[in-house]
């Protein structure tokens, strides 16, 4: 029976390389890969070996006989990517990724390639993985939080636990003997770019895009307005957002923007509490949700249904998990658009939208209303939000929606990195294939690289960062091989000493493992995958319980022996 890729596909392409018959497309070297909403298994060519199931880091692949009812639409979706053919027709194998460092070159060097990676989200971890495929390379990963993995921990929705399973792959990468974590260390605050340069051949920034795009209309900033960026960080227990004031005593929430983040927020706001209580949602969010009065979440898009920013897999998942409605006028628009659209993914999205009810029937559970052609004009209210005023796009018609909470979900934005150039219009570090470019000279800044959202902007899935990081790593290694990177002036002990002097509370891999284990134990007691610590102090206390490595115990014993009585 053929295998099927389902909703949580992260596009990292691991399955493509595991597949012995090249039946998974688009592959990273095919043109459609960068823009594809997911990867698809060709049911005609699949030989049912299951190699892709083992390779997938997020558990997104299942045999077509084992699909849950919600996953069944994905069987047709996978098949529809391929033109109809007779059974047994195979495509030629895709090219595997080439090794990046000629082994002889590296043996000839005095200093093995040593790279500092700043940020431990997907881009940083995939970059480390690519570098460590070569023997003798050393990687130090600096992360400002005591816990690693960026948006996988602090962004991916708590009800998408299978997506969060990619952290197991990241844990395996971090276990490599030439990988070292410096957690709870903020580059630009505790250590500078030039200090990292002095201790490494290269510094690769994978710091993501932590800010949000601002909606510049009157009334934003009133109590009751906020951003999805802050809201998802609060739900996910990010320590900087634990005290966010979230008030859910209102019947309607309006979300502006209809990307996948908007869908995540709406789904969680209307989710069954018993199901949420079995996830790793933060305790503070869960207790706020227990007292929620929310009955409807409106997702307001400024354009028409055919331009919906959410992806098809996420729409399929939303409709399966939640009660979703659409106004009759928008549904008529969907049906008109269907007559003109030929792209299969866009058509399937419209077909799903065309079957949604209009919400006129009473509902026993909170619902999500998809609304279109609403361009936000101003936030209404004096002491706090009472509504949002929109103009219906392409008309003069003004429409008002009453609400007590408005969340903008209009995209993320990179922020400047100290000592590096910044392209303020694009919100990224200027770069050429990952090499940071000095805008004055137009030439690469020696030893500085970027990957992930700070390199290409805030779009794409977890796995999109794998090919992005590979491109950067290839540029970095080419520069190293051609002698363009200066050797570090000090060794790893000097680096560790410098970091500890600046940040005595640095957390290492053992510390992270101790935090991880403590969170899992706390969670399992309540039938949850983990119960996250949401304060840095609690994380550090858990990290301190990490077993002392044997070498250190010996040193401690020797020190003890030399102490005066
Ligand atoms: P990030 O994941 O943001 O990682 C950046 C890391 O750098 C962070 O850990 C940060 O703390 C650290 N850092 C920043 N500055 C410094 C500094 N100065 N010093 C040290 N460390 C620093 N994709 C999917 O495939 N499936 C999903 O379900 C999914 N859900 C998402 C939900 C949300 C809300 C969002 C916003 C995105 C989601 N994505 C999802 C997309 C995916 O999360 C991103 O593609 C990916 O996380 C980007 O990776 P990154 O490494 O560039 O950035
Ligand atoms: P996004 O997909 O770029 O969507 C942004 C939305 O904001 C769009 O609807 C856009 O409308 C709207 N918008 C922008 N400016 C606006 C303005 N001034 N006024 C009104 N609306 C405005 O961003 P996102 O939802 O933050 O997602 C970021 C990335 O993470 C995406 O690539 C997404 O796929 C990924 N992600 C993936 C998952 C998953 O796989 N499960 C989950 C979450 C996020 P227009 O189209 O009209 O510009």
């Amino acid at each position: 029976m053929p295998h099927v890729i389902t909703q949580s596909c992260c596009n990292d392409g691991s399955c493509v390389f595991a597949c012995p018959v090249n039946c998974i497309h688009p592959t990273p070297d095919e043109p459609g890969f960068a823009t594809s909403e997911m990867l698809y298994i060709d049911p005609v060519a699949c030989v049912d070996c299951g190699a892709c199931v083992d390779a997938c880091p997020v558990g997104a692949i299942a045999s077509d006989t084992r699909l849950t009812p919600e996953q069944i639409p994905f069987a047709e979706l996978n098949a529809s990517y391929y033109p109809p053919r007779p059974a047994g027709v195979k495509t030629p194998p895709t090219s595997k990724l080439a090794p990046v460092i000629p082994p002889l070159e590296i043996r000839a060097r005095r200093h093995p390639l040593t790279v500092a990676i700043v940020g431990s989200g997907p881009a940083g971890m995939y970059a480390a993985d690519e570098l460590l495929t070569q023997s003798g390379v050393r990687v130090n990963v600096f992360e400002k939080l005591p816990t690693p993995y960026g948006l996988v921990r602090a962004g991916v929705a708590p009800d998408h636990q299978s997506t969060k399973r990619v952290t197991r792959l990241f844990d395996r990468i971090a276990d490599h003997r030439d990988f070292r974590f410096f957690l709870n260390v903020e580059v630009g605050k505790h250590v500078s770019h030039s200090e990292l340069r002095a201790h490494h051949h290269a510094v690769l920034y994978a710091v993501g895009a932590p800010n949000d795009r601002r909606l510049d209309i009157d009334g934003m900033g009133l109590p009751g307005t906020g951003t999805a960026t802050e809201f998802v960080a609060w739900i996910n227990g990010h320590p900087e957002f634990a005290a966010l004031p979230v008030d859910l005593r209102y019947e309607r929430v309006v979300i502006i923007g209809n990307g996948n983040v908007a869908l995540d927020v709406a789904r969680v706001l209307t989710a069954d509490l018993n199901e949420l209580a079995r996830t790793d949602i933060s305790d503070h969010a869960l207790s706020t949700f227990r007292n929620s009065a929310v009955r409807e979440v409106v997702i307001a898009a400024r354009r028409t249904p055919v331009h919906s920013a959410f992806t098809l897999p996420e729409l399929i998942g939303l409709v399966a998990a939640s009660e979703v409605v659409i106004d009759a006028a928008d549904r008529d628009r969907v049906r008109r658009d269907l007559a003109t659209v030929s792209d299969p993914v866009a058509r399937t999205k419209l077909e799903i939208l065309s079957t949604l009810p209009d919400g006129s029937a009473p509902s026993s559970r909170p619902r999500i209303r998809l609304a279109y052609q609403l361009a936000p004009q101003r936030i209404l209210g004096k002491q706090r939000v009472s509504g949002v005023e929109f103009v219906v796009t392409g008309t003069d018609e003004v429409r008002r929606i009453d609400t007590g909470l408005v969340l903008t979900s209009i995209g993320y934005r990179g922020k400047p990195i100290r000592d590096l150039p910044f392209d303020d219009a694009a919100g990224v570090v200027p770069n050429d294939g990952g090499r940071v470019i000095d805008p004055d000279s137009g030439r690469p800044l020696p030893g500085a690289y970027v990957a992930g959202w700070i390199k290409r902007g805030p779009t794409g899935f977890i796995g999109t960062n794998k090919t992005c990081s590979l491109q950067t790593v290839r540029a970095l290694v080419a520069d190293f091989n051609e002698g363009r990177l200066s050797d570090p002036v000090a060794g790893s002990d000097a680096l560790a000493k410098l970091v500890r002097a600046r940040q005595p509370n640095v957390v290492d891999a053992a510390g992270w493992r101790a935090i991880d284990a403590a969170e899992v134990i706390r969670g399992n007691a309540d039938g949850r995958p983990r119960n996250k610590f949401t304060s840095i102090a609690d994380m550090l206390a858990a990290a301190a319980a990490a077993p002392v490595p044997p070498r250190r115990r010996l040193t401690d014993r020797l020190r003890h022996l030399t102490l005066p009585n």
Side-chain angles (χ1 to χ4, degrees), residues 52-131:
C52 55
V53 178
D54 296 336
C56 175
V58 293
I61 307 180
S63 160
D64 74 348
T65 54
R66 296 200 169 179
L67 296 174
T68 62
E70 301 79 47
Q71 290 173 328
I72 285 171
F74 287 93
E76 195 185 325
L77 187 61
N78 278 240
S80 67
Y81 182 77
Y82 299 91
R85 277 138 314 139
V89 173
K90 308 272 186 283
T91 32
T94 188
S95 59
K96 305 272 173 192
L97 301 177
V100 286
I101 300 179
L104 286 177
E105 287 249 4
I106 199 164
R107 273 203 292 274
R109 285 175 187 274
R110 215 157 44 90
H111 290 276
L113 173 58
T114 308
V115 180
I117 295 178
V118 185
S120 66
M125 295 308 293
Y126 283 126
D129 194 29
E130 295 297 348
L131 283 161

Side-chain angles (χ1 to χ4, degrees), residues 13-86:
S14 303
C15 54
V16 171
F17 296 105
C19 173
V21 295
N22 190 31
C23 75
I24 306 176
H25 296 268
T27 66
D29 47 11
E30 287 172 350
F33 181 77
T35 51
S36 185
E37 293 190 350
M38 59 181 281
L39 306 182
Y40 307 91
I41 294 180
D42 181 348
V44 174
C46 175
V47 291
D48 190 26
C49 68
C52 55
V53 178
D54 296 336
C56 175
V58 293
I61 307 180
S63 160
D64 74 348
T65 54
R66 296 200 169 179
L67 296 174
T68 62
E70 301 79 47
Q71 290 173 328
I72 285 171
F74 287 93
E76 195 185 325
L77 187 61
N78 278 240
S80 67
Y81 182 77
Y82 299 91
R85 277 138 314 139

